[in-house]
Amino acid sequence: MKLVLPLFLLSTTALFAQPTVPGSWTISGDVQGYAISEVCTFTQTADKIGGSCVSNGKTYDTTVTIDGSKVIFVHGGEYEGKPLTLTYTGTYNDKGELNGDIDVKPLGYDGTFTATKTETATKTDTK
């Protein structure tokens, strides 16, 4: 019986573990009626996470900061030829998604988003 409790704690900890940030994410959201749809790919080198997000056919370098359960990623953009900075601040939900707010500078607009990690298909060798 002494072994059952530690195993139970380990298994429930694994169930509630947060997904890792590196990988591919699909972002959907809304900023004051304007639909947001992006695909972001994050990589980790040592203790730094970065990557890029693709929006409307353009790729933007992205920085990522993790603060406890909060994930913040920032990248450039443009609207009507004017440069923007989009800041996404999200936390994990029980589905392993990131949900949160979008801040658009210098316009001062805000919105919400959901980010879902994209599973990469594994190729199996049939030889």
Side-chain angles (χ1 to χ4, degrees), residues 49-110:
I49 300 175
S52 63
C53 292
V54 178
S55 176
N56 296 321
K58 294 186 179 183
T59 301
Y60 299 98
D61 289 337
T62 306
T63 59
V64 181
T65 305
I66 300 174
D67 182 11
S69 65
K70 188 185 312 182
V71 177
I72 302 165
F73 55 102
V74 180
H75 67 73
E78 69 176 57
Y79 179 71
E80 295 182 349
K82 296 178 183 171
L84 302 174
T85 300
L86 288 86
T87 302
Y88 296 77
T89 304
T91 55
Y92 292 106
N93 66 21
D94 60 352
K95 297 177 188 174
E97 301 168 329
L98 287 171
N99 288 304
D101 300 314
I102 307 169
D103 181 40
V104 183
K105 297 289 185 205
L107 298 177
Y109 294 161
D110 60 4

Side-chain angles (χ1 to χ4, degrees), residues 4 12 82:
V4 173
T12 56
K82 296 178 183 171

